[in-house]
Amino acid sequence: MALVTLEEAKAYLKIDIDDDDEMLTLQIQAAEAYLTGATGQTYASETDVLAKLYCLMLIQHLYDNRTLVVTGSENLSTTASAIMLQLQCKVDETL
């Protein structure tokens, strides 16, 4: 099961149209792959709210910055960095 659904991402981004669904689906997959690669863990959408929130924030960043050149700050927020740090340090309780 995906951590973030297309519907959840569209609601988070406040997108009412279907024109970008294919690109948004790709960005959802990329965000989840990034999270797994960065933490070495997989997450369940119904229990890992920080992981879900991080993915939504990353999806928004990817959606808002779809060009190679970004004006302003291309870095994720301090909040996103703090969430990633917590997720990387989280101990797998099933071991």
Side-chain angles (χ1 to χ4, degrees), residues 71-86:
T71 57
S73 176
E74 64 275 355
N75 296 325
L76 290 175
S77 71
T78 304
T79 302
S81 297
I83 290 171
M84 175 53 75
L85 182 61
Q86 285 187 27

Side-chain angles (χ1 to χ4, degrees), residues 37-76:
T39 64
Q41 297 184 45
T42 56
Y43 299 92
S45 63
E46 53 281 339
T47 57
D48 292 302
V49 294
L50 282 180
K52 183 180 208 106
L53 180 59
Y54 185 85
C55 274
L56 287 167
M57 294 170 79
L58 183 54
I59 292 162
Q60 180 173 17
H61 179 77
L62 293 170
Y63 186 80
D64 291 344
N65 300 288
R66 290 175 274 176
T67 62
L68 291 176
V69 178
V70 179
T71 57
S73 176
E74 64 275 355
N75 296 325
L76 290 175

